[in-house]
Amino acid sequence: MSPNKGLFFAQTLFVKEIEKSKTTIQIIVYLVNRIIHPMKRLLLISLVLLSIKGLAQQPVKPNAVEIYNQIKKLNFLGSVLYIAAHPDDENTRLIAYLSNDVKARTGYLSLTRGDGGQNLIGSDLRELLGVIRTQELIEARKIDGGEQFFSRANDFGFSKNPDETLQIWDKDQVLSDVVWAIRKFRPDVIINRFDHRSPGTTHGHHTSSAMLSVEAFDKVNDENVFPNQLQYTTTWKPKRLFFNTTWWFYGSREKFDAADKTNLSKLQIGTYYQSLGKSNQEIAALSRSRHQSQGFGSTGTRGEEDEYLEFLKGDAPKDKSNIFEGIDTSWNRVKGGKVIGDILANVEKNFDFKNPSVSIPELVKAYDLIQKLDDEHWKNIKSEEIKKIIAGCAGLYLEASADAQEATPGSIVKVKLEAINRSNAKMNWNAINTVPNSMNIQSVTPLENNKPISKTIDLELPDNEEYTNAYWLNQKGSVGMYAVSDQQNIGKPDVQRQVKVTYIIEINGIAIPFERNVIYKYNDDVKGEVYQPLDIVPAVTSSFTEKVYIFNNDRDKVIAVKVKAGKDNCKGSVKLDLPQGWEVSPADIPFTIDKKGQEVLAVFTVSPSKEVSEIDIKSIVTINGKNYDQNKIDINYPHIYKQMVLKPAEAKAIRLKIKTKDEKIAYIMGAGDEVPKSLAQMGYEVETIKPEEISLERLQNFDVVMTGIRAYNTVNTLAFKQRILLDFVKNGKTMIVQYNTTDDLVTKDIAPFPLKISRDRVTEENAEVRFLAPNHPVLNYPNKITTEDFKGWKQEQGLYYPNEWDAAFTPILSANDKGETPKNGALLIAKYGKGNYVYTGLSFFRELPEGVSGAFRLLANIIAIGK
C-alpha cells in the first residue's frame, strides 16, 4: 500500500461512542493535582462531590421543599435583569439572593458566550469554547435559580477600552440585542455589573456592557427605536437602573469604607435557607463552580454579607433595602389576577410537605384562570411555572426517549413514551402531539396512582429537518458578531431542539399540555442512567486528521480524511476541493460503510503550489448525488449537557518558506493547547511527557523542553521538578516556557534568573512590532524574521508579558496597543550554563492552530536557538 499514490485504506474503523468526559474520580484528581494548591484541596474536593450529584443530564425531580419554594416564586410577579459581558462576570451571590430570597424572576444577560477565553479542561477554543461556556452558564442558572440570555456579540479577546470593543462589535446590533432582551424579559429593575463611567480601567467588553445597558434603558420604551422588533414584542419601561458596585471599583476597601454611600442601596444577601440547609453564598458558590473551563471553582461562605447597588436612573427607591419598592409584585398587577393570587396564597399557606398532592385541585383551578388572562407576558411565564408545580405535586413523570442518540432527516425514530402519576389526583392521558411531523394521537388512558403507562410510537422526521447545531454558528459571522437572521432566536441561550412530544394530561377535568424534548438515555456500568439529547445529524460527515498542514518544500504530503456514517448503508465517494495551483491524487475515493457510526479513512496525496500561499482544503462527500461538506464535533464533559457542533469540513494548508532543524521536543502540557500537533506538522519529533516523569535521565534524549500555556499555574508537580528542568538547560539544552498568568504560580522560580510576570499584553494583533535585538540569532536563524511575519495574527499578539527581568535576559521584540507605552517582554532569552532559557507571552497557542505562517517561522527559530 503506497500512501503517496493516494490509495484508500480498506480498513474500516469501528468507531465506538467514546466520551471525552472524565469520570467523577478523574475530575477530582484533575482539579486537585493540576489547579488547586494543597491548602485548598480538601475544601474543593467537598465542593466537587456536592456538585457532581446533580449531573447535567438528569431530569428534574423536585422534592417537597423545592416545590414549596416554587409556589412562593409563583406568587411573586417581579423581574430583575443583570447585565454584563462574559460568562463568569455575573455576581452569583446577588442572582441567587434575588431568585431564592426575594423570589424575583431573575435573568442574566451575558453579551458574549466567552469565546475568547482560555480553556482549563480541554483544547477547545474560540467558538467551541463558546459552546462549552454557554452550557456552563445554563447549568449555573439551574443552581442559582436565574435565567440565561445572550446577545450576538462575539468575544474576540481582551480589549482595553470600549471604543475598540464597540468598533469590532457592531454597536448598533448589540444595542438592538440589549433592547430586545429588555423588551422580551420586561424587567422592573436592571442591574449592571460594571461602571459605564470608567472606560480604560477594566476590560473594554465590561465597560461596553454597562454603556449599552444605560443607553438601552433610555430607548427601550421608544417605539421608534428598533421598530422591527415590535411585530414580536412591545416596548417596555423598566422602573430603575443600578450599578452593582464593590470596594474594587473604589481602589481599596479603605476608600470604599470612607466613601459617601447616600446613593447606594445595601442588600443583606447572607441568607441561610433552613429548609435547604445552605446559605445563599453556598448556593452561589455551587453555581459559580460550574465555570470549570475557566477554573472558577468557588468555596461557599456563611454568615452576614452585604451587596451594594448604586442608583443610576429611573425612580429612586425610598426603601433602599428593597429594590422593588413601589412596584406591585403581587398578582394584583395583572387584570384578573386577584382571584388567582387569593387561591395561590391559600395553596402556599396550607401546603402539606408530607403530601404535596393535596394542593393539586387548587393549583389546577389557578392554572385554568391563568389561561384566561389578557396579559400574555405573565400568562406565559406563570403557565409554565404552575405546570411544573402541578407535575411536582403529583409526582407526574413524563418522558419521551428515542432508541438512538442520533438520527438523520427522513428517518424514522422509535420513541418510547412513559407516563406515571404518583398521587391520588384523578388524571387521564388524553393525547400526544409531536413536532416536527405534527402527529396527533388521541387515546384516553387513565393514569392511576403509581401505575406506569408506556407506549412506543414511530416518529418520522421530515427530509428537510434541520441538523442539530448551535444556532448562532449556522451562518458565517464576523470577528465581532455572530450572524443570526431569525429575530426570535436572538438572545436564546441554548441549541434549538425541534423534536418534541406534548402530552395532553387531563387533571380534574382540565386539559394541560406538558411539552418534553425527545431525549436518548442509556445505562452506564459506572455512572448508571445517562441522559443525552437527540441529535439530528447529516447522513455522512467528514473531518481532516489535522487542522493545519505545513508544506515547507516542494514535496508531496499525505492528507487523510475520516468519513463517518450517520446512518446505515452509506455508499459514495469523497474528494478534496483545492484552489488552482495545488494538485491532489486521486481525484476521488469511493467508500462503503455498512453501519451507522462507523468510519473509513481516505488518504490523498497533495502537491503544493510553487508559490507561497495559505489555502483552505475542503472535504466533500457525495452520496446519491448529494454533497455533504460538514464536520461533526462532539463536546462531552460531565458538568454540561452533551453538545454537537457542525462546522465546515476543512483544513488549512500553508506553502511556507521555512527551515527547521531536527530537534527532538519534550512537551509538558499545561492548561490545554494544540501546540504539539503543530510542532509535529512542522516536522519535529514531539513527545508529550507527564510532569511526574520529568528526570534528567528521561530528558537526556531531547534537545528542547517546552511547557504548555499556564503550566506553572496548573501543574503543581512543576514546583518539585523545576531544578531538574533548569539543570537540563544548564547542561546545554533549550527550555521554552509559554505564558502564565500572575495568579497562583506553583513556584516563584519559574526562570533561572529573576523575572516578574505582569498583566501587560498587546491585544491589537496587527500592532507594529519592533526588533530590539535585530542581530540576535532568534531573528536570523534558520529563518530571517521580518515584520511581515507578524501580519495576519489572530485575536492578540500576546498576553501576560513580564515587565521586570534580570539583565541576563535579552528582550527581542517590542510592541504596544495604540496610546500605550512599549511592551518589551513578549520574548525573553537568556543563556544559562551551556543552554538557553526562553520565556514568551506570544500567543502561539492561538496562532499555530489558525495557520499563521509567521508564528511557525518564529517558533522554528526559537526551537533552533541552541544551534
Side-chain angles (χ1 to χ4, degrees):
M1 188 161 52
S2 176
N4 61 355
K5 294 296 183 182
L7 293 178
F8 174 71
F9 277 124
Q11 169 187 14
T12 298
L13 305 176
F14 236 108
V15 177
K16 203 173 179 180
E17 290 291 339
I18 300 174
E19 294 182 333
K20 294 180 182 177
S21 60
K22 302 175 179 69
T23 66
T24 297
I25 299 301
Q26 287 173 315
I27 298 170
I28 298 171
V29 171
Y30 178 87
L31 291 170
V32 170
N33 291 335
R34 302 194 67 185
I35 299 177
I36 304 302
H37 287 300
M39 295 300 291
K40 300 177 183 176
R41 290 178 180 174
L42 186 58
L43 286 174
L44 181 75
I45 289 173
S46 300
L47 180 60
V48 171
L49 289 173
L50 280 172
S51 62
I52 282 173
K53 68 180 182 181
L55 291 177
Q57 297 89 346
Q58 298 296 330
V60 176
K61 301 171 186 175
N63 58 42
V65 169
E66 291 166 334
I67 294 169
Y68 179 69
N69 286 327
Q70 290 172 3
I71 293 170
K72 293 178 73 174
K73 196 161 188 171
L74 183 65
N75 283 328
F76 191 97
L77 279 68
S79 301
V80 56
L81 183 64
Y82 199 88
I83 298 179
H86 310 107
D88 70 48
D89 281 346
E90 80 275 27
N91 184 341
T92 54
R93 295 183 306 276
L94 188 54
I95 290 176
Y97 167 78
L98 293 170
S99 179
N100 297 293
D101 192 314
V102 178
K103 305 300 181 186
R105 182 179 180 234
T106 307
Y108 174 43
L109 172 59
S110 174
L111 296 193
T112 75
R113 295 177 185 267
D115 327 72
Q118 282 83 52
N119 183 1
L120 284 178
I121 60 174
S123 59
D124 303 301
L125 293 175
R126 294 302 307 150
E127 64 270 24
L128 298 183
L129 177 58
V131 169
I132 293 171
R133 297 189 73 187
T134 291
Q135 293 302 312
E136 288 178 336
L137 272 182
I138 291 171
E139 294 303 321
R141 298 294 80 79
K142 290 178 184 177
I143 293 171
D144 60 36
E147 299 177 46
Q148 187 59 50
F149 307 100
F150 294 96
S151 82
R152 289 170 290 176
N154 193 338
D155 179 1
F156 56 84
F158 192 87
S159 175
K160 293 179 178 177
N161 61 75
D163 290 339
E164 180 197 38
T165 297
L166 296 174
Q167 183 177 4
I168 296 176
W169 289 351
D170 183 321
K171 181 196 171 184
D172 194 58
Q173 283 191 22
V174 183
L175 177 62
S176 167
D177 292 354
V178 176
V179 169
W180 170 253
I182 296 171
R183 285 174 172 172
K184 292 283 288 181
F185 191 73
R186 294 173 68 175
D188 301 298
V189 178
I190 296 174
I191 302 174
N192 293 340
R193 165 77 281 189
F194 299 104
D195 189 354
H196 67 289
R197 300 158 298 194
S198 55
T201 61
T202 182
H203 198 320
H205 297 183
H206 292 169
T207 310
S208 296
S209 70
M211 293 169 63
L212 291 168
S213 175
V214 170
E215 187 173 348
F217 184 87
D218 292 329
K219 293 183 174 180
V220 68
N221 199 38
D222 186 344
E223 62 183 14
N224 296 311
V225 174
F226 306 119
N228 60 302
Q229 297 179 359
L230 300 181
Q231 60 183 307
Y232 307 109
T233 187
T234 61
T235 58
W236 177 249
K237 186 176 182 180
K239 187 77 169 178
R240 50 187 66 111
L241 174 67
F242 293 99
F243 158 45
N244 181 199
T245 190
T246 68
W247 66 265
W248 186 86
F249 292 99
Y250 287 75
S252 69
R253 294 185 185 275
E254 291 74 20
K255 290 181 180 179
F256 180 67
D257 290 341
D260 179 9
K261 298 184 178 61
T262 55
N263 197 38
L264 303 185
S265 292
K266 183 171 75 171
L267 306 180
Q268 297 178 342
I269 55 92
T271 306
Y272 174 65
Y273 304 105
Q274 290 187 345
S275 60
L276 300 177
K278 293 185 179 69
S279 70
N280 186 71
Q281 300 98 313
E282 287 171 319
I283 292 173
L286 291 171
S287 170
R288 188 156 185 78
S289 295
R290 284 305 187 192
H291 297 297
Q292 292 184 16
S293 65
Q294 300 300 293
F296 280 124
S298 178
T299 299
T301 60
R302 290 144 292 280
E304 295 181 356
E305 188 172 345
D306 298 328
E307 283 288 343
Y308 289 89
L309 304 178
E310 179 185 351
F311 173 74
L312 297 179
K313 289 194 171 195
D315 297 333
K318 296 175 184 177
D319 178 2
K320 293 185 178 180
S321 65
N322 178 13
I323 63 171
F324 286 96
E325 189 270 328
I327 302 170
D328 188 352
T329 59
S330 73
W331 276 96
N332 293 330
R333 85 178 287 172
V334 297
K335 183 180 177 182
K338 184 179 183 307
V339 63
I340 299 171
D342 291 342
I343 293 171
L344 294 177
N346 285 327
V347 169
E348 181 180 334
K349 179 180 178 181
N350 299 314
F351 185 76
D352 187 342
F353 286 87
K354 293 183 178 180
N355 184 14
S357 65
V358 172
S359 300
I360 292 175
E362 293 298 288
L363 287 168
V364 170
K365 187 186 299 182
Y367 169 82
D368 190 38
L369 291 171
I370 290 172
Q371 306 318 298
K372 299 170 183 176
L373 292 176
D374 294 329
D375 188 322
E376 290 294 324
H377 176 74
W378 286 113
K379 173 183 174 180
N380 293 334
I381 292 169
K382 296 304 178 180
S383 290
E384 291 306 309
E385 288 183 10
I386 199 168
K387 283 195 292 184
K388 291 177 182 177
I389 294 169
I390 292 170
C393 287
L396 178 61
Y397 188 81
L398 306 171
E399 184 175 270
S401 58
D403 61 346
Q405 197 267 314
E406 295 179 350
T408 55
S411 66
I412 294 176
V413 179
K414 287 195 175 297
V415 179
K416 180 183 177 182
L417 306 175
E418 179 184 349
I420 183 170
N421 164 29
R422 289 169 286 188
S423 74
N424 288 318
K426 184 179 179 181
M427 290 188 198
N428 289 322
W429 177 3
N430 284 359
I432 281 289
N433 299 321
T434 65
V435 173
N437 59 350
S438 301
M439 183 165 57
N440 180 272
I441 303 173
Q442 301 283 338
S443 177
V444 178
T445 305
L447 292 179
E448 299 178 13
N449 187 4
N450 213 29
K451 293 184 178 180
I453 302 294
S454 64
K455 305 175 183 179
T456 300
I457 62 171
D458 287 339
L459 199 160
E460 184 174 354
L461 300 177
D463 291 334
N464 62 348
E465 179 65 17
E466 291 186 3
Y467 302 135
T468 302
N469 201 23
Y471 70 87
W472 58 94
L473 300 178
N474 283 335
Q475 300 170 255
K476 187 174 178 58
S478 65
V479 173
M481 297 296 298
Y482 283 119
V484 181
S485 56
D486 186 342
Q487 177 67 47
Q488 296 190 81
N489 275 343
I490 293 173
K492 290 181 178 179
D494 209 351
V495 174
Q496 299 303 293
R497 300 189 182 277
Q498 302 302 326
V499 185
K500 305 171 189 269
V501 167
T502 299
Y503 289 79
I504 307 300
I505 306 296
E506 181 187 333
I507 306 175
N508 289 358
I510 302 297
I512 304 176
F514 293 90
E515 185 179 87
R516 298 290 185 268
N517 285 339
V518 176
I519 52 86
Y520 170 71
K521 69 176 182 180
Y522 66 95
N523 184 73
D524 181 273
D525 290 342
V526 175
K527 300 176 184 177
E529 192 175 50
V530 176
Y531 281 75
Q532 292 181 340
L534 172 66
D535 289 332
I536 310 304
V537 303
V540 65
T541 55
S542 62
S543 62
F544 290 87
T545 55
E546 302 291 341
K547 290 183 178 180
V548 178
Y549 295 91
I550 302 296
F551 293 80
N552 55 4
N553 50 46
D554 292 331
R555 283 181 289 187
D556 298 342
K557 187 177 282 284
V558 169
I559 293 181
V561 175
K562 290 187 290 185
V563 181
K564 184 175 183 178
K567 64 178 184 178
D568 293 342
N569 303 318
C570 281
K571 185 176 181 179
S573 64
V574 56
K575 65 180 181 180
L576 299 185
D577 182 19
L578 298 108
Q580 189 173 2
W582 292 69
E583 296 180 357
V584 60
S585 176
D588 61 74
I589 296 175
F591 68 86
T592 299
I593 305 177
D594 295 329
K595 294 294 183 181
K596 170 183 177 179
Q598 289 182 343
E599 286 183 352
V600 294
L601 194 66
V603 177
F604 297 88
T605 300
V606 173
S607 304
S609 165
K610 300 298 182 183
E611 304 297 324
V612 173
S613 59
E614 296 181 9
I615 67 162
D616 290 325
I617 308 176
K618 299 179 181 179
S619 167
I620 300 175
V621 184
T622 303
I623 298 177
N624 296 327
K626 184 176 180 179
N627 290 338
Y628 297 86
D629 59 358
Q630 290 179 299
N631 173 24
K632 184 172 81 71
I633 302 167
D634 289 325
I635 299 175
N636 205 359
Y637 295 96
H639 69 299
I640 60 174
Y641 212 44
K642 179 182 179 293
Q643 300 295 295
M644 183 189 89
V645 177
L646 292 175
K647 295 179 64 178
E650 58 187 27
K652 179 164 283 190
I654 306 174
R655 177 65 174 94
L656 181 63
K657 289 183 178 179
I658 182 174
K659 298 176 182 177
T660 58
K661 310 309 286 183
D662 57 355
E663 291 88 355
K664 291 181 65 178
I665 301 172
Y667 199 91
I668 303 169
M669 194 64 73
D673 59 61
E674 295 187 335
V675 172
K677 291 183 179 180
S678 298
L679 294 172
Q681 270 295 312
M682 294 169 73
Y684 295 110
E685 185 177 338
V686 186
E687 185 176 345
T688 300
I689 65 173
K690 298 177 180 179
E692 57 270 22
E693 296 176 351
I694 296 173
S695 67
L696 285 176
E697 293 76 18
R698 180 74 172 84
L699 298 178
Q700 65 180 348
N701 293 324
F702 293 99
D703 302 291
V704 177
V705 164
M706 191 169 184
T707 61
I709 61 172
R710 298 182 68 177
Y712 285 94
N713 298 124
T714 62
V715 185
N716 283 319
T717 307
L718 289 180
F720 313 108
K721 299 291 187 177
Q722 186 66 357
R723 187 70 261 164
I724 297 171
L725 293 171
L726 294 181
D727 285 345
F728 171 82
V729 179
K730 197 172 185 178
N731 292 337
K733 304 298 182 71
T734 298
M735 182 175 182
I736 303 169
V737 177
Q738 296 183 82
Y739 95 93
N740 295 274
T741 67
T742 57
D743 301 325
D744 296 327
L745 291 168
V746 299
T747 174
K748 63 179 181 179
D749 300 319
I750 65 172
F753 308 105
L755 176 148
K756 182 181 178 181
I757 298 172
S758 75
R759 299 186 70 84
D760 287 351
R761 62 175 77 204
V762 178
T763 63
E764 296 170 15
E765 56 269 19
N766 292 317
E768 177 192 3
V769 175
R770 302 172 291 275
F771 296 161
L772 300 175
N775 296 322
H776 195 284
V778 78
L779 296 177
N780 294 280
Y781 179 82
N783 304 286
K784 179 67 175 178
I785 302 299
T786 72
T787 55
E788 290 295 312
D789 288 299
F790 291 91
K791 292 184 178 178
W793 283 48
K794 307 296 183 183
Q795 185 163 324
E796 60 201 351
Q797 276 188 8
L799 61 170
Y800 291 99
Y801 292 169
N803 63 353
E804 296 179 22
W805 52 84
D806 190 86
F809 285 102
T810 300
I812 306 298
L813 305 172
S814 178
N816 55 270
D817 292 329
K818 292 176 184 177
E820 294 197 352
T821 58
K823 305 295 183 287
N824 300 336
L827 180 59
L828 303 173
I829 301 176
K831 287 292 294 183
Y832 180 61
K834 298 177 183 179
N836 293 275
Y837 177 92
V838 181
Y839 188 93
T840 179
L842 293 170
S843 58
F844 287 112
F845 74 104
R846 294 196 188 280
E847 312 313 319
L848 300 181
E850 293 287 341
V852 177
S853 58
F856 282 98
R857 285 166 46 82
L858 177 58
L859 185 56
N861 282 19
I862 295 173
I863 291 169
I865 194 70
K867 303 290 185 180

